[in-house]
Amino acid sequence: MMDIQNSAWEIVRLARHPKRPTSKTVIKELFPDFIELHGDRLYGDDPSIIGGISSFLGQPITIIAQEKGTTTEDKIYRNFGMAHPEGYRKALRLMKQAEKYNRPIFCIIDTPGAYPGIGAEERGQAGAIALNLREMSRITVPIIAVVLSEGGSGGALGIGVGDSVAMFENSIYSILSPEGFASILYKDSSKAAEAASLMKLTAADLYQLEIIDAIFMEEGGLHISYQSGFNHLKSFLTQELNRLSQIPQEKLLEKRYLKYRKLGQYHIN
Amino acid sequence: MPEFLDDRQAKLNSFRKNVLKKETTSVPHNIPEGIFVQCEGCQTVIYQPKLDELNGVCPNCGYHAKISASKRLALVLDSNSFTEIDSDMTSVNPLSMPDYEKKLETAKTSTLMNEAFISGIGKIEGVKTAIGVLDSAFMMGSMGSVVGEKVTRLIETATKKNLPLIIFSASGGARMQEGILSLMQMVKTSAALAIYHEKKGFFISVLTNPTTGGVAASFASLGDINIAEKSSLIGFAGPRVIKQTIKQDLPEGFQTDDFQLKHGQVDFIIERKMLKSTLAKLLKWHRKDVISK
Ligand SMILES: [Zn+2]
């Protein structure tokens, strides 16, 4: 029990390591000719979510990526990766654009959660995420999503519905933070390590629950060296784009529906 | 009303009677719990049967108190028109979370429900409708696998049978005890609505007190018409979390039904006494035979 507890918490700490690369690094390494596209056309541009187009192995691809920021100044500018509704609406705009031009979509998830603030509520945070869930389930082009470090709740899900979903070895994906979970379960947020062990938030847990399809090994952690981990991502993306592009549209949507339809455990008396 | 509701009401009444007996014999000078309630709007103490008669609406200030799912169904459906579906579905403890079974048992005993969501087919002024109601008395109306599955099945039933759909939400969000599986119910329900939407189904989402978190950020916000019931707290994040994050006090009236209307997130606010007639009107205007003409 102790081992499991340590390993889940250890992964949480690695996922939040200050030297861990963010989405910007993934884009720089895998998509060097990336062109960023800004704004939701309704309210503003949310720097917590980067969107744009790139080529990948000679084919255009739409990129949607949550960005936590690197320097202190950048982190504040990016709002620590916590998007407002305009971020989700920008993402949806660009996904619809990808659908129009029949190019696949690649989403990089890295957020503690959607921003809980006054402006976010005024502009309809709940509705923005809900609409993305509904629309992403029916976008007619392949969607591949990867959790880079932190997949925080509905905020992660808002760009996370896909045909193929993967996680890095030392990333987490959960309903709320271990601290938040501990403060509810134990009325004590300092018991986050214990909470983390119960929550089933590691890549291995999610793979076992059949929520994700692949795990990218990191060789000591992305904060030490990201080359090998990024290579795994690159080959996965290559393989999945190739596989998914051969599935007829209707079948693709049906499979995506069933992927989520089967999730959940219950008893019928 | 259908038998199961009468049955539940009878059990509830006997439960209350027993509580009353105990309370009055042990502490006769106190107000017996469950018989008088304090209005959350104006703090007036109201006789519970009186409040029940008024469908939970305070006679003094008009505040809409929470009502149970069965009461809600009785309020909007034509009598004897309801057939419940998936009533025998119960929660398991997929992540082996401590005390979850105990919490479920307590919720079942106090609400006499199997889970936080009742669903089925009923009629509203004669219009056959797929209808579902969340009950916040059952573990805060939180959405775990069972609620997600039942909501999804209801939407799929509405799609298959070509019926309009009404869901009353009352929920604190995703159910923490089922972790990531609860989160995935948000996708499952929204994806089912996507297909219903493509088939031109008509979905009225009624957001009641409270509708927040994972329920607000999935099916509850996806109505063709989103209606907020009076006296409701509606939002993505809970007020406590927002206050902690921004480290300042929240403005007066934040996340109320009026707030949501003002910010364009709901179509209108409904008073409980107008609920049935308004739903009936909207249903009739969206009947498939009306639309096709
Ligand atoms: Zn009152």
Side-chain angles (χ1 to χ4, degrees):
Chain A
M1 191 63 204
M2 218 46 213
D3 283 341
I4 298 163
Q5 185 171 316
N6 284 341
S7 72
W9 184 240
E10 191 53 34
I11 288 170
V12 173
R13 292 176 52 171
L14 286 172
R16 295 169 175 173
H17 196 284
K19 291 215 168 86
R20 195 168 169 89
T22 63
S23 293
K24 278 191 289 189
T25 310
V26 179
I27 293 173
K28 192 179 86 198
E29 294 290 325
L30 266 71
F31 311 101
D33 62 354
F34 177 73
I35 294 175
E36 186 168 0
L37 303 173
H38 293 271
D40 68 345
R41 302 294 188 269
L42 295 163
Y43 178 81
D45 183 47
D46 187 344
S48 307
I49 295 183
I50 297 173
I53 316 170
S54 175
S55 69
F56 183 73
L57 307 170
Q59 295 293 320
I61 185 168
T62 285
I63 316 284
I64 311 284
Q66 286 165 332
E67 174 58 47
K68 283 181 174 174
T70 41
T71 62
T72 303
E73 202 178 47
D74 189 38
K75 280 177 183 163
I76 292 166
Y77 171 65
R78 304 285 179 186
N79 200 29
F80 302 87
M82 294 183 284
H84 283 76
E86 48 272 24
Y88 294 104
R89 291 181 180 130
K90 168 169 70 178
L92 185 59
R93 178 176 78 83
L94 297 177
M95 288 189 273
K96 291 278 186 184
Q97 183 186 71
E99 183 178 46
K100 180 179 175 190
Y101 296 106
N102 200 30
R103 59 174 172 256
I105 299 163
F106 175 52
C107 299
I108 309 172
I109 296 164
D110 192 8
T111 180
Y115 189 60
I118 292 174
E121 295 290 329
E122 287 175 341
R123 300 195 290 281
Q125 187 75 289
I129 291 172
L131 192 63
N132 279 22
L133 301 183
R134 189 183 83 184
E135 296 301 303
M136 287 185 86
S137 75
R138 300 298 285 174
I139 293 249
T140 54
V141 293
I143 305 174
I144 297 164
V146 59
V147 182
L148 173 61
S149 303
E150 245 184 311
S153 198
L157 211 52
I159 64 158
V161 179
D163 303 296
S164 191
V165 182
M167 286 174 75
F168 276 93
E169 183 188 359
N170 294 311
S171 69
I172 56 170
Y173 197 171
S174 61
I175 190 165
L176 80 169
S177 69
E179 289 80 4
F181 200 90
S183 72
I184 296 173
L185 197 66
Y186 306 114
K187 316 279 176 232
D188 182 358
S189 63
S190 67
K191 289 191 173 164
E194 267 177 80
S197 71
L198 289 172
M199 288 175 73
K200 304 270 191 291
L201 47 63
T202 68
D205 292 328
L206 269 80
Y207 187 81
Q208 204 169 18
L209 290 164
E210 296 181 31
I211 292 168
I212 60 163
D213 308 289
I215 301 171
F216 308 139
M217 301 311 278
E218 294 185 12
E219 286 189 34
L222 297 181
H223 62 289
I224 295 166
S225 162
Y226 56 69
Q227 221 35 265
S228 143
F230 282 15
N231 283 342
H232 290 308
L233 166 60
K234 196 173 173 177
S235 17
F236 179 76
L237 199 54
T238 309
Q239 165 210 309
E240 287 301 275
L241 286 173
N242 187 37
R243 182 179 70 85
L244 295 168
S245 68
Q246 285 166 30
I247 303 174
Q249 206 175 84
E250 208 169 298
K251 191 82 197 158
L252 183 77
L253 294 188
E254 190 192 322
K255 284 173 83 119
R256 193 185 299 158
Y257 188 76
L258 292 175
K259 179 182 173 69
Y260 292 94
R261 183 66 188 85
K262 70 176 198 305
L263 297 178
Q265 294 177 26
Y266 48 86
H267 176 75
I268 294 177
N269 292 333
Chain B
M1 282 311 294
E3 254 168 54
F4 88 95
L5 287 181
D6 292 340
D7 192 39
R8 269 179 203 164
Q9 196 57 52
K11 280 187 199 161
L12 207 55
N13 288 343
S14 81
F15 180 69
R16 281 193 188 130
K17 218 191 269 167
N18 292 336
V19 169
L20 171 67
K21 217 187 273 169
K22 241 183 263 164
E23 293 278 334
T24 44
T25 47
S26 56
V27 273
H29 54 281
N30 273 6
I31 298 169
E33 202 182 318
I35 283 304
F36 284 92
V37 286
Q38 196 172 38
C39 170
E40 281 181 46
C42 65
Q43 271 70 52
T44 305
V45 174
I46 311 162
Y47 186 49
Q48 176 80 57
K50 173 79 182 163
L51 193 62
D52 286 345
E53 215 174 274
L54 297 167
N55 295 315
V57 179
C58 173
N60 187 40
C61 73
Y63 181 87
H64 285 43
K66 292 166 187 157
I67 55 172
S68 69
S70 47
K71 184 118 207 211
R72 174 76 66 183
L73 286 170
L75 189 68
V76 298
L77 290 177
D78 301 346
S79 51
N80 295 314
S81 74
F82 186 65
T83 312
E84 190 176 2
I85 57 170
D86 303 317
S87 59
D88 48 0
M89 205 183 291
T90 53
S91 289
V92 294
N93 188 0
L95 307 187
S96 309
M97 211 49 87
D99 296 334
Y100 184 30
E101 282 106 342
K102 213 161 69 192
K103 285 204 171 83
L104 285 167
E105 276 316 308
T106 309
K108 282 182 198 170
T109 312
S110 66
T111 62
L112 306 169
M113 292 169 72
N114 273 336
E115 249 297 336
F117 188 68
I118 297 184
S119 54
I121 313 280
K123 282 183 182 169
I124 297 177
E125 291 188 11
V127 184
K128 207 170 165 191
T129 305
I131 188 164
V133 190
L134 271 164
D135 193 322
S136 66
F138 194 107
M139 291 194 75
M140 293 284 289
S142 56
M143 173 161 66
S145 297
V146 170
V147 171
E149 181 68 23
K150 286 181 81 168
V151 169
T152 305
R153 287 186 183 196
L154 181 69
I155 299 164
E156 287 174 339
T157 301
T159 308
K160 216 176 298 164
K161 298 193 179 213
N162 214 1
L163 293 174
L165 170 70
I166 299 177
I167 298 179
F168 293 89
S169 294
S171 175
R175 187 169 296 172
M176 197 189 64
Q177 288 85 351
E178 292 185 34
I180 193 80
L181 286 173
S182 298
L183 196 70
M184 293 300 145
Q185 305 308 310
M186 294 168 64
V187 185
K188 195 161 103 178
T189 54
S190 302
L193 278 175
I195 294 174
Y196 183 68
H197 185 68
E198 279 174 13
K199 300 259 162 75
K200 293 199 181 345
F202 177 55
F203 172 34
I204 303 176
S205 174
V206 187
L207 299 96
T208 76
N209 191 32
T211 300
T212 59
V215 166
S218 61
F219 63 87
S221 290
L222 294 172
D224 294 291
I225 293 180
N226 291 335
I227 304 173
E229 186 171 71
K230 200 178 164 186
S231 316
S232 297
L233 177 94
I234 299 163
F236 174 66
R240 195 179 49 85
V241 173
I242 297 173
K243 209 171 153 179
Q244 266 172 17
T245 308
I246 64 173
K247 296 180 180 70
Q248 63 187 68
D249 283 333
L250 301 173
E252 183 78 24
F254 184 62
Q255 294 182 316
T256 56
D257 44 310
D258 287 315
F259 172 93
Q260 296 299 345
L261 182 70
K262 180 182 162 207
H263 292 287
Q265 308 303 333
V266 295
D267 289 282
F268 57 89
I269 297 168
I270 191 93
E271 286 193 37
R272 213 165 269 164
K273 62 173 188 234
M274 296 302 290
L275 188 57
K276 181 169 183 173
S277 59
T278 307
L279 292 175
K281 218 187 267 181
L282 289 170
L283 287 173
K284 284 169 189 169
W285 287 337
H286 292 83
R287 275 170 84 132
K288 298 264 163 131
D289 53 341
V290 174
I291 297 164
S292 60
K293 268 174 203 162

